[in-house]
Amino acid sequence: MSVSPARAAAFDVLLRVEQQDAYASELLHSSQYDELSLADHGLTTELVMGVLRWRSRLDEEIGRFSAKGIDKLDLEVLTALRLAAYQLLFLDRIPGRAAVHESVELVKRARKGSAAPFANAVLRKLAASTPAAEATQNERSGSTAELSRRFAHPLWLVERWVREFGLETVGKICEYDQHAPETAVHLSASTTEADLKQSGLDLVPGRLLASARRVHSGTVAGTSGLADKRIAIQDEASQLAALLVGRGSRILDCCAAPGGKTRILAERNPESRVTAVELHPHRARLLRKLVPAGNVDVIQTDMCQFTADARFDRVLVDAPCSGTGTLARNPEIKWRLQREDITDLQGRQLQILRAAMRHVASGGKLVYATCSLEREENEAVVKKALSAEPSFRALDCKVDLERLRAEGELVWDPESLTRGRYLRTFPGVHPCDGFFAAILQKN
């Protein structure tokens, strides 16, 4: 019995995620897997994301039957065990025998044949067992440790969230992170939903924004709308951050790739020039490809070295961040992130923000945004920037959210989208990724 294409692809993706710090979603949508059938691609995605979401729970179950510690296993062997464990514990429609046999074959395929009997023994015991966590599956979480274990999040991350947001909110965040989020899309002005429906894509209105759409049935991948840039996959909170920038005549988008927010800025300001700055050459090329608007100028440079002949009345700083607000779609982040990374990121974020502030015209506005839940990357960065740049002040985001609500754009209650003066969305509390945004105005 050979290994199925879906399991082979899932195994290869998981190895690359671990060995190369790659992102699963990018790998799964790469051309390398275009030849997979729709069904196989769906199973590959389910296996990869499932293993990444539940990794600590899977390792706990594997550890019950392994004479070796998890940290002593070769990565190829551990990856095959995790794939089988996920199928055995979380997927009802896959026969246990197939899950066990194919994972053992994956061990052999990876040239770890001497470990095949060990893998087979561990997985047969696991298949015949009752999961250790089953007893607590339907219980409410009463502590950070229980929440961490039940929803497979690192304890240190749950502990810091509970200190900041409280146990109830963090419970909602962690639960949301463990499911595939709805696919939200942004439609260009030239797109008609009737065209997309003919491609088998059924869309429903957004939960947060009237202009956004969510995929009710079908898949965006492979549709003509995606190929000709009339539709873009983009979380609603990300779209909202771009809408907060508002309208201007000269607009600067810092750290612009992959271009979702750039596209919205260009569409909402068709008579304006949008300058999109991106550090990395390959991402700048992708930005040029994905944002076809004629009023966008893409410049590949470090934002801290960027120069312009005039200042901008609207600036967006979508800063590189930890991404802890996006764990539902990027679960590998929670296993990769370390405490010290957050401090390192803050230094870079502050550097970029202060560089961007130098390009804001008098009376102009700057939106600083991240998809992080961490205070150090959000409120703390803004506070330090304002302290260093006294000509700026923070505006109350609620005013602009109320404006968007009055214009019929925002369909969610603005009151629940803010903490203090800032936009704050939380996965599970709001129907979107976790985002932060601050609006700063130059005097």
Side-chain angles (χ1 to χ4, degrees), residues 229-336:
K229 316 298 187 298
R230 290 179 297 133
I231 183 172
I233 300 172
Q234 187 176 14
D235 184 78
E236 289 192 63
S238 175
Q239 296 182 48
L240 176 58
L243 291 175
L244 285 177
V245 176
R247 302 186 187 279
S249 58
R250 282 176 54 84
I251 301 171
L252 174 62
D253 184 3
C254 312
C255 314
K261 297 181 185 68
T262 313
R263 182 173 182 157
I264 292 175
L265 295 178
E267 290 174 355
R268 292 302 174 109
N269 297 273
E271 304 302 320
S272 307
R273 297 306 303 175
V274 178
T275 300
V277 176
E278 172 54 41
L279 171 61
H280 302 287
H282 69 285
R283 287 172 63 83
R285 290 192 295 270
L286 177 65
L287 176 59
R288 287 189 179 96
K289 180 179 178 181
L290 295 182
V291 183
N295 60 333
V296 175
D297 301 313
V298 178
I299 298 178
Q300 187 266 304
T301 188
D302 189 327
M303 186 59 217
C304 296
Q305 299 174 4
F306 170 71
T307 59
D309 56 5
R311 295 189 176 182
F312 299 82
D313 54 354
R314 293 292 183 271
V315 175
L316 171 62
V317 179
D318 183 20
C321 68
S322 63
T324 53
T326 68
L327 299 187
R329 64 186 78 252
N330 298 302
E332 59 270 54
I333 288 174
K334 62 185 175 183
W335 310 119
R336 192 175 291 170

Side-chain angles (χ1 to χ4, degrees), residues 49 67 113 163 273 278 386 390 402:
M49 293 308 206
R163 287 194 297 269
R273 297 306 303 175
E278 172 54 41
L386 291 175
E402 292 285 4

Side-chain angles (χ1 to χ4, degrees), residues 81-216:
L81 292 175
R82 285 169 173 167
L83 272 169
Y86 178 69
Q87 294 171 76
L88 293 170
L89 296 171
F90 291 95
L91 300 184
D92 296 331
R93 296 183 180 180
I94 293 181
R97 184 176 60 83
V100 170
H101 178 81
E102 291 206 29
S103 280
V104 173
E105 291 300 308
L106 284 169
V107 172
K108 298 175 183 176
R109 175 177 174 266
R111 298 182 180 178
K112 300 290 180 180
S114 62
F118 163 80
N120 185 59
V122 169
L123 293 178
R124 286 186 179 278
K125 291 175 184 176
L126 178 57
S129 73
T130 299
E134 188 175 276
T136 62
Q137 183 71 22
N138 297 315
E139 296 177 6
R140 267 183 86 82
S141 298
S143 69
T144 53
E146 186 180 355
L147 200 59
S148 167
R149 178 175 179 270
R150 181 183 175 196
F151 291 117
H153 280 61
L155 180 59
W156 71 270
L157 193 57
V158 174
E159 287 176 339
R160 64 181 282 122
W161 287 351
V162 169
R163 287 194 297 269
E164 182 72 20
F165 311 125
L167 193 65
E168 183 179 357
T169 294
V170 176
K172 293 177 180 178
I173 293 170
C174 290
E175 185 172 10
Y176 182 94
D177 288 346
Q178 297 309 97
H179 299 87
E182 290 182 283
T183 300
V185 297
H186 169 73
L187 306 180
S188 71
S190 63
T191 300
T192 65
E193 292 184 50
D195 293 341
L196 296 170
K197 196 160 188 175
Q198 289 181 354
S199 302
L201 193 62
D202 186 20
L203 303 176
V204 294
R207 300 184 189 275
L208 201 66
L209 300 171
S211 61
R213 293 293 182 269
R214 293 192 173 230
V215 177
H216 179 255

Side-chain angles (χ1 to χ4, degrees), residues 26-41:
E26 293 180 2
L27 294 176
L28 288 166
H29 289 94
S30 68
S31 58
Q32 183 176 354
Y33 300 105
D34 284 348
E35 293 184 4
L36 287 176
S37 69
L38 195 60
D40 279 339
H41 198 283

Side-chain angles (χ1 to χ4, degrees), residues 311 399 430:
R311 295 189 176 182
V399 175
H430 303 103

